[in-house]
Amino acid sequence: MMTTVFLDYGTFNSGLDVNPIRQKTEKLTIHEFTQPAEVISRAQHAEIIITNKVVLDAETLAKLPKLKLICVAATGTNNIDLAAAKQRQIEVCHAKDYAGPPIAQYVFAQLFKRFQNIEQHNANVASGKWSTSQAFCLHDQPINELAGKTFGILGYGHIGQAVAKAARAFDMKVLIAERPDSHTVREDRVSFNDMLANADVVSLHCPSTPATQGLINSARLAQMKPSSILINTARGDLIDNNALANALRTQQLSYAILDVLDQEPPPSSHPLVAGFVSGDIPNLAITGHIAWASQQAQQRILNIVAANIAGFNTGKLINKVN
């Protein structure tokens, strides 16, 4: 049982249960947010740090001699200097396999909005248009079916599989893309280029790596059908912002749905945010990195953190990344 500090609990919603973590630690101190200059003073006596997005670089780790375990309350660990942690014999573990259901739900909530035009049809009744209609039904905006459409997925881990399951439930044809840099194509997959060319919906679920940063650029967007939809719930830097903005403005791409951007939170001058807010890019939807964040998924993360700490206490660490 060790002294633990949670540096940025404010990245989670209120109303969650932290008792599973508290029960695995001798003392748990919770901070809503922690600025870079505050990390050392807040964590200098901690043996365990829990962080979602607070950066723990080599310089910071060198000033935390008591630290034995870092629990990342997320899947991505790019805010941790893993090599420096390993050198100092600091274990690092993360949370994984918690976000499949909410992200699948988000993807299809956005697609339903696009294909069903449900907001407009609700507004038609609220505005009185249906009451003055000559016909028993008020068509107004067209409704299109997901069934029969082709759904392309890049990244077939826990989340990609959950999204594919939902797509198949709506009778969509699912194409699982092989890694873009792969020279072979596995039996149950198609090449990345073939997926781009044939999919009506392209959904990104791969990590950000040197090989995937800027992956969706002008050339890749040109491979996609003009009627297709691009969805990104993975990492913002997978997409070339200016290339996507241009493709949407010129109708080279029908629509884009983004829950992540390369800067978070983004400045108001961000090329995609500015176009979305001004209405200059009307065929774009942006949300603030919330696709993962159902109450249930957030609680699963906290439970996983507690399990990681319990494993460390018993010498059986799970979800280790370094």
Side-chain angles (χ1 to χ4, degrees), residues 242-300:
N242 291 317
L244 178 58
N246 182 64
L248 291 168
R249 285 192 178 98
T250 61
Q251 295 294 316
Q252 184 184 16
L253 188 71
S254 171
Y255 198 70
I257 297 164
L258 308 177
D259 184 55
V260 289
L261 293 172
D262 57 327
Q263 294 174 268
E264 295 179 350
S268 58
S269 59
H270 189 283
L272 292 169
V273 172
F276 174 66
V277 172
S278 68
D280 180 49
I281 310 179
N283 49 342
L284 172 63
I286 302 178
T287 50
H289 204 147
I290 47 78
W292 66 278
S294 67
Q295 290 292 103
Q296 294 79 10
Q298 292 184 65
Q299 187 61 56
R300 281 194 289 272

Side-chain angles (χ1 to χ4, degrees), residues 27-49:
K27 178 184 178 183
L28 174 64
T29 302
I30 295 177
H31 300 283
E32 289 296 296
F33 296 98
T34 297
Q35 299 303 315
E38 299 173 317
V39 173
I40 303 301
S41 61
R42 290 182 172 183
Q44 61 182 329
H45 300 299
E47 294 157 296
I48 300 173
I49 288 177

Side-chain angles (χ1 to χ4, degrees), residues 69-307:
L69 173 67
I70 299 170
C71 287
V72 182
T75 301
T77 57
N78 57 319
N79 55 322
I80 312 297
D81 189 323
L82 297 178
K86 184 175 182 178
Q87 184 180 18
R88 295 186 172 277
Q89 297 184 317
I90 300 168
E91 302 281 16
V92 181
C93 55
H94 68 157
K96 63 177 185 176
D97 296 351
Y98 62 85
I103 291 183
Q105 180 172 298
Y106 171 91
V107 166
F108 280 87
Q110 289 280 19
L111 288 176
F112 293 150
K113 178 183 175 183
R114 176 68 174 173
F115 279 72
Q116 196 74 21
N117 275 306
I118 199 70
E119 289 184 346
Q120 182 60 46
H121 291 289
N122 285 338
N124 286 342
V125 177
S127 67
K129 289 181 69 175
W130 191 25
S131 297
T132 59
S133 172
Q134 291 185 328
F136 78 97
C137 58
L138 181 59
H139 292 291
D140 195 41
Q141 296 296 318
I143 297 170
N144 289 290
E145 297 180 2
L146 292 173
K149 298 286 191 298
T150 299
F151 195 105
I153 295 177
L154 178 65
Y156 200 52
H158 170 71
I159 293 171
Q161 291 172 34
V163 173
K165 181 180 178 181
R168 292 186 181 105
F170 288 99
D171 293 327
M172 301 183 79
K173 178 183 178 182
V174 175
L175 297 179
I176 310 301
E178 189 55 85
R179 293 184 180 91
D181 58 354
S182 178
H183 298 296
T184 59
V185 178
R186 282 167 280 182
E187 185 176 347
D188 59 341
R189 308 201 178 193
V190 300
S191 72
F192 177 58
N193 289 334
D194 283 347
M195 184 275 284
L196 289 179
N198 290 287
D200 298 298
V201 179
V202 172
S203 195
L204 305 179
H205 301 288
C206 58
S208 172
T209 67
T212 61
Q213 290 169 2
L215 180 69
I216 304 300
N217 53 27
S218 296
R220 263 52 184 269
L221 290 165
Q223 290 178 256
M224 297 171 65
K225 296 191 287 188
S227 59
S228 62
I229 296 172
L230 176 66
I231 305 175
N232 188 12
T233 57
R235 290 291 182 264
D237 62 7
L238 301 178
I239 294 175
D240 180 321
N241 297 323
N242 291 317
L244 178 58
N246 182 64
L248 291 168
R249 285 192 178 98
T250 61
Q251 295 294 316
Q252 184 184 16
L253 188 71
S254 171
Y255 198 70
I257 297 164
L258 308 177
D259 184 55
V260 289
L261 293 172
D262 57 327
Q263 294 174 268
E264 295 179 350
S268 58
S269 59
H270 189 283
L272 292 169
V273 172
F276 174 66
V277 172
S278 68
D280 180 49
I281 310 179
N283 49 342
L284 172 63
I286 302 178
T287 50
H289 204 147
I290 47 78
W292 66 278
S294 67
Q295 290 292 103
Q296 294 79 10
Q298 292 184 65
Q299 187 61 56
R300 281 194 289 272
I301 292 175
L302 298 182
N303 293 345
I304 292 168
V305 169

